[in-house]
């Protein structure tokens, strides 16, 4: 079952976000889970009500096993055309015990249909090197790299 997350899902989403981060960088497991839980819970409560973030979940046997966070980005209008928002996708994660069962691809297919139904212009994601084949199998392609300015805070 694929659906949008609700407030009842917050505890599971917090745990999955922690697991996702620790899986990619075990040293981050030394951080305080309680501090993270408080910050992440606050973020999720706001995200689930602000109509900017849409958190998609996939359930198997009544348990959330995969999720994707999508943020709707509104563009500045342009003369001569209707301006549609685009989607920034992040924090795509599937629990290790159900990987390679097609759940992540089903989740993306649902999001792709939602993008088409709502006439969003495009979706972007910055995948890890390991995730590139997954996205390519699901219709994503490389595009010109954006420019970025790093404030120095990102590496602290």
């Amino acid at each position: 079952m694929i659906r949008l997350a609700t407030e009842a899902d917050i505890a599971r989403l917090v745990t999955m976000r922690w697991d996702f981060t620790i899986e990619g960088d075990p040293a981050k497991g030394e951080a305080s889970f309680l501090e993270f839980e408080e910050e992440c819970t606050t973020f999720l409560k706001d995200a689930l009500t602000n109509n900017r973030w849409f958190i998609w979940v996939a359930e198997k046997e009544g348990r959330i096993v995969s999720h994707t966070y999508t943020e709707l980005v509104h563009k500045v209008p342009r003369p001569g055309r209707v301006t549609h928002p685009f989607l920034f996708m992040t924090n795509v994660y599937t629990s290790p015990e159900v990987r390679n069962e097609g759940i992540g691809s089903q989740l993306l297919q649902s999001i792709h249909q939602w993008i088409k139904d709502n006439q969003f212009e495009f979706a972007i994601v910055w995948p890890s090197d390991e995730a590139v084949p997954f996205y390519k199998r699901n219709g994503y392609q490389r595009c010109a790299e954006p420019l970025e300015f790093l404030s120095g805070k990102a590496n602290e």
Side-chain angles (χ1 to χ4, degrees), residues 6-64:
T6 67
E7 195 165 325
D9 301 320
I10 288 177
R12 177 72 179 137
L13 291 169
V14 168
T15 301
M16 290 180 78
R17 179 66 177 151
W18 179 267
D19 293 345
F20 171 74
T21 303
I22 304 310
E23 184 179 325
D25 185 356
K28 292 217 162 82
E30 296 174 20
S32 167
F33 179 79
L34 293 177
E35 288 177 11
F36 167 75
E37 181 180 38
E38 182 178 331
E39 179 184 9
C40 195
T41 298
T42 299
F43 168 82
L44 289 167
K45 284 181 179 179
D46 179 62
L48 291 172
T49 60
N50 69 19
N51 290 323
R52 190 178 82 232
W53 283 97
F54 297 87
I55 304 166
W56 293 83
V57 298
E59 293 179 319
K60 182 176 181 180
E61 299 171 1
R63 181 172 179 262
I64 296 173

Side-chain angles (χ1 to χ4, degrees), residues 8-137:
D9 301 320
I10 288 177
R12 177 72 179 137
L13 291 169
V14 168
T15 301
M16 290 180 78
R17 179 66 177 151
W18 179 267
D19 293 345
F20 171 74
T21 303
I22 304 310
E23 184 179 325
D25 185 356
K28 292 217 162 82
E30 296 174 20
S32 167
F33 179 79
L34 293 177
E35 288 177 11
F36 167 75
E37 181 180 38
E38 182 178 331
E39 179 184 9
C40 195
T41 298
T42 299
F43 168 82
L44 289 167
K45 284 181 179 179
D46 179 62
L48 291 172
T49 60
N50 69 19
N51 290 323
R52 190 178 82 232
W53 283 97
F54 297 87
I55 304 166
W56 293 83
V57 298
E59 293 179 319
K60 182 176 181 180
E61 299 171 1
R63 181 172 179 262
I64 296 173
V65 295
S66 185
H67 62 63
T68 303
Y69 288 63
T70 57
E71 183 179 19
L72 198 57
V73 180
H74 292 274
K75 296 168 50 177
V76 177
R78 294 176 75 183
R81 65 178 275 204
V82 175
T83 305
H84 297 282
F86 68 91
L87 209 63
F88 168 65
M89 189 174 355
T90 188
N91 195 28
V92 179
Y93 180 71
T94 300
S95 298
E97 69 274 8
V98 296
R99 288 185 187 152
N100 300 312
E101 293 183 17
I103 294 170
S105 292
Q106 290 172 19
L107 189 60
L108 285 184
Q109 289 169 12
S110 293
I111 294 168
H112 294 165
Q113 188 59 53
W114 180 67
I115 290 168
K116 290 175 188 174
D117 292 346
N118 287 282
Q119 299 180 357
F120 300 144
E121 192 167 340
F122 57 87
I124 58 171
V125 63
W126 276 275
S128 66
D129 291 340
E130 300 82 27
V132 169
F134 166 74
Y135 287 104
K136 284 188 173 186
R137 284 194 310 272

